[in-house]
Amino acid sequence: MNDAELERIVGLYSRELMARAYALLCDWHEAEDAVQDAFAAAYLHRGALGDGERAWLYKVVTNKCLDRLRKQKPVSLDALGDAAGGVSDSYDAGYSPKVIRALERLNPDERAAVLWRIKDELDYAEIARRQRISEAAARKRCERAKKRLADYLRGYAEEESK
Amino acid sequence: MNFDADDILIADALSDMENALNVPDLLPGVRAKLPERRHRLRVYVIAALIAAALLITGCAAAFGVLDWIGEQMHGLGFTEAVKPVEQSVTDEGVEFTVIAAQRYGVAAVLYVTARDTLALGRTEEDMNGMSHLVWASQSNVNASMSVSGAVQSFVRLVSYDAGTQTAAYEMTAVFSDRAPDTANVSLRGYSFGYEQIKDFPIKIDVNAAAYGERAPDGTETLAYREGGSVPGLDMHFGALGTIGDKLTVQLCFRTDGEYTAYLPREGVYLLDGEGNRYEALDTWILPFNGSNAGFQLTFDVSPEKLTDATLCFTGDAEKRFVGDWSLSIPLANGDNQRTFSVDINMGTDVIENAELTLCPVGFSLSGTAGRAALEKLAVLDGYVESYGRLYGTLAESTPYDGLADTQKFSWFYLYYSAYPPDSVTEIRLGRDIVISLD
C-alpha cells in the first residue's frame, strides 16, 4: 500500500471505524489508538485491500479493540454494577454519549455481540463462530445484551425528560 | 433480519453517536506508528537470519517469547504459572512452537506461536482461522474431535508481532475427564486474510431439480448433478433436487484446498426468472469422506414453479496455508491449582458435587447433571468475584441433546487475564448463581 492509498482509507473510514472502536472500548483515546493501529496494519501488511477493504478494516479494528479489552486491568464488580454509569473517559464535555454510557455497562463480549447483531446484521451462527461459543449461547448473549442496552437507553431518556 | 423496537432504539442511538463524533485527523498518528521502510527491511533480514539459526538450535528464544505473551496477558504471575515447553517444528518456512503447556482439571492450556521465518507475510493480524484445524488428543497425532481425546479445543489470538511476523495463540483443549499427561498437537493449516465473493451467480437446472428420481420414501429427489463452481473456492455442485418438495442444493469443497469457504446463511440466495429472491431456509455443513465437505442449502420454493433459477453467493474465501506441524507435548500439572467439590444452586435445579478447579488462567467445572440444568448453565458467562468481572469463554464439551436425562459434563471457563487462585473467594455464573469458596 502506498501513501496515497493510506490517505484515502483514513479519510474514507475514520468516522465509522472510530464509532465502532469507541462503542467497543468506551474510551475515546483508546479507540483512536486502536483505529490508528488498524490503519498502520493495513499499510504494513496488505497490498491493495480491494473490494474487501471495509470488512478487513472492521475485522482488524475489532480484533485490536478486543485485544485491548483483554489487557485492561479488571474493574471491580461494584464499579460495574447497576450503580455505575459514569463515563470514565470524557470525550467531549459538550456531548453526552448515552449509548457509550450504556455500552460501558455491558461486558466486552456482550458489546461485540450486540454490535455485530444490530449494526452488522450477522446471524447467530457467525457470532458464535467469532466468539467461539455455541449458537444457542450467542443467541442468548445477544438477546440479553440487547435488552439491557435498550433498558439503559430508555432509562437515560426518562432521566432527561424529568 | 426483522427489527424490533429494541433493535431500532439501539441502532438509532449508535447512528446518532457516529454522526455526532468529532473525529480528528488520524493520519499523523498512523504515520507515527509506521516504521521507516528501510528499517523494516533490515528487521526482516535479521529475522530471517535468526530464523535460520533457530532451525538448527531449536527454539532457544522460547523464554523470551513467554515473557512477551505474559505481557500481553496482563496477568498476575502469568509467567510463573505456566510450564515452559520449548518445542518447535518448521514446515514450509513457518515455525510452529509450543511455548508453554500445562493441564488444569479437565483442560489443557497451551501457548503457541506461528512465525513466518521467511518473512513472506504468511502470518497476519487476522489469522483467526486456526481453531478448526488444531486438534489435541491423548493418543493419536492425527486424531480429530471424534476420537477419544479432547472433546473440544479452541484457539484465540493473544497478540501479533508485525516485526517478526509472529502470532501468539492461547489454545485450550477440554477433555471429558482429567486432561492426559501428553497432548499430541497438530496443525494442518491455517487461514490468513481472505477474499470476498460478492453475488457470484451459478445457473441451476430447475428441470433436473424438479423431476429427479424420488427416494423410496418419496421425500427427496437429491441426486448428483454436474454444475458450476465458485472461482477461488474449489467449490462445486454435489447434488441437486428437492427435500419435501423444496429446492435443495448441495455444494462440495475440499477441506485441504487453498481456500476455506465460509458462507453465512444470508450469503446464499436464489433468484428466479422474475427477479424474486429466496433466502436459504437452512444451511447445513456436511462432513464428507476424506478431504471433502459441503454445504446443503434448502429454499422455500418448489423447482416445479420455477422457469429459471440462479444461485448467488456472497461470502468470504479465507486464504489457507497448508502444511504439517505436529508435536507431542508433555502436560505437567499447572502450579497453583485449587480444587473444590461444590453444589451449584440454580433455583429449581441443583448440580451437586461438581468438581471446580481454579487455576491462574481460568477454572474448570465437571461432574454429572441433569439436562435442564446443563442447558441453563451452558449460556452463562463466568465471573470471579474477588477480581471483578472476567470475560470467561464457555467451552461446552458435552452435547446436551443426547438421550440421557443425566450426563457428564466438563467445561472450562477461560479468563482474559491471569489471576492467582488463592485470592478467589467466590465464583459467579451469570448474574445470579454464586459459588462460595469459603
Side-chain angles (χ1 to χ4, degrees), chain B residues 137-215:
Chain B
S137 100
Q138 286 175 296
S139 58
N140 189 337
V141 169
N142 295 313
S144 71
M145 298 293 184
S146 60
V147 180
S148 62
V151 285
Q152 189 178 38
S153 61
F154 59 96
V155 178
R156 67 177 177 178
L157 182 72
V158 174
S159 191
Y160 179 75
D161 180 45
T164 57
Q165 298 197 11
T166 304
Y169 291 92
E170 182 180 60
M171 174 182 170
T172 305
V174 182
F175 298 82
S176 58
D177 210 331
R178 291 192 174 281
D181 55 13
T182 302
N184 294 306
V185 186
S186 151
L187 175 64
R188 301 286 179 225
Y190 59 81
S191 302
F192 65 107
Y194 61 93
E195 293 176 7
Q196 276 200 325
I197 300 166
K198 180 77 174 163
D199 296 328
F200 184 82
I202 293 182
K203 281 281 185 191
I204 284 185
D205 183 345
V206 288
N207 285 327
Y211 304 112
E213 187 178 343
R214 287 196 174 271

Side-chain angles (χ1 to χ4, degrees), chain B residues 169-366:
Chain B
Y169 291 92
E170 182 180 60
M171 174 182 170
T172 305
V174 182
F175 298 82
S176 58
D177 210 331
R178 291 192 174 281
D181 55 13
T182 302
N184 294 306
V185 186
S186 151
L187 175 64
R188 301 286 179 225
Y190 59 81
S191 302
F192 65 107
Y194 61 93
E195 293 176 7
Q196 276 200 325
I197 300 166
K198 180 77 174 163
D199 296 328
F200 184 82
I202 293 182
K203 281 281 185 191
I204 284 185
D205 183 345
V206 288
N207 285 327
Y211 304 112
E213 187 178 343
R214 287 196 174 271
D217 66 0
T219 56
E220 69 171 64
T221 67
L222 274 178
Y224 175 77
R225 302 284 176 192
E226 290 284 345
S229 62
V230 183
L233 293 186
D234 294 332
M235 194 161 68
H236 55 276
F237 267 80
L240 180 66
T242 58
I243 293 180
D245 289 328
K246 290 180 168 49
L247 178 62
T248 301
V249 179
Q250 285 184 358
L251 299 156
C252 304
F253 62 90
R254 290 190 64 80
T255 55
D256 59 355
E258 191 180 348
Y259 288 89
T260 300
Y262 178 68
L263 299 172
R265 187 183 305 169
E266 292 84 349
V268 187
Y269 59 91
L270 190 77
L271 283 180
D272 69 13
E274 283 75 48
N276 298 312
R277 175 171 168 153
Y278 301 88
E279 309 297 336
L281 288 177
D282 232 329
T283 310
W284 298 93
I285 295 179
L286 308 167
F288 295 152
N289 293 330
S291 301
N292 292 294
F295 294 102
Q296 178 171 298
L297 311 161
T298 301
F299 298 91
D300 191 13
V301 60
S302 166
E304 291 182 33
K305 296 179 179 172
L306 300 175
T307 53
D308 190 22
T310 304
L311 204 55
C312 298
F313 298 87
T314 296
D316 298 341
E318 292 184 328
K319 286 185 282 185
R320 178 186 288 171
F321 183 61
V322 178
D324 185 3
W325 301 265
S326 298
L327 290 169
S328 185
I329 303 297
L331 286 176
N333 280 327
D335 292 336
N336 204 5
Q337 297 188 48
R338 296 172 73 198
T339 299
F340 304 84
S341 178
V342 297
D343 294 339
I344 305 172
N345 192 331
M346 308 170 67
T348 54
D349 298 297
V350 178
I351 298 176
E352 295 178 327
N353 299 320
E355 184 175 295
L356 167 71
T357 300
L358 290 174
C359 65
V361 295
F363 62 89
S364 73
L365 266 180
S366 61

Side-chain angles (χ1 to χ4, degrees), chain B residues 74-95:
Chain B
H74 199 8
L76 307 171
F78 170 79
T79 47
E80 291 77 30
V82 297
K83 302 283 188 187
V85 170
E86 290 190 84
Q87 285 195 33
S88 66
V89 58
T90 301
D91 187 26
E92 304 287 336
V94 170
E95 179 191 67

Side-chain angles (χ1 to χ4, degrees), chain B residues 11-173:
Chain B
D12 286 349
L14 288 167
S15 295
D16 290 347
M17 182 268 288
E18 182 174 332
N19 292 333
L21 288 179
N22 182 18
V23 180
D25 180 7
L26 300 178
L27 202 53
V30 177
R31 290 197 203 283
K33 288 173 183 284
L34 297 175
E36 289 180 22
R37 284 173 184 270
R38 207 171 31 181
H39 180 236
R40 269 204 296 141
L41 282 174
R42 192 166 64 233
V43 170
Y44 287 167
V45 171
I46 292 169
L49 291 173
I50 291 171
L54 281 178
L55 284 175
I56 298 167
T57 61
C59 187
F63 283 108
V65 178
L66 187 58
D67 288 336
W68 169 53
I69 295 174
E71 287 173 19
Q72 309 306 314
M73 293 292 291
H74 199 8
L76 307 171
F78 170 79
T79 47
E80 291 77 30
V82 297
K83 302 283 188 187
V85 170
E86 290 190 84
Q87 285 195 33
S88 66
V89 58
T90 301
D91 187 26
E92 304 287 336
V94 170
E95 179 191 67
F96 177 58
T97 304
V98 177
I99 302 295
Q102 54 285 311
R103 58 182 175 177
Y104 301 110
V106 296
V109 181
L110 298 88
Y111 295 89
V112 304
T113 58
R115 186 169 66 94
D116 188 349
T117 63
L118 304 178
L120 298 176
R122 295 170 301 175
T123 60
E124 253 202 2
E125 193 79 33
D126 62 346
M127 48 184 283
N128 288 329
M130 291 173 74
S131 57
H132 62 293
L133 295 164
V134 180
W135 316 110
S137 100
Q138 286 175 296
S139 58
N140 189 337
V141 169
N142 295 313
S144 71
M145 298 293 184
S146 60
V147 180
S148 62
V151 285
Q152 189 178 38
S153 61
F154 59 96
V155 178
R156 67 177 177 178
L157 182 72
V158 174
S159 191
Y160 179 75
D161 180 45
T164 57
Q165 298 197 11
T166 304
Y169 291 92
E170 182 180 60
M171 174 182 170
T172 305

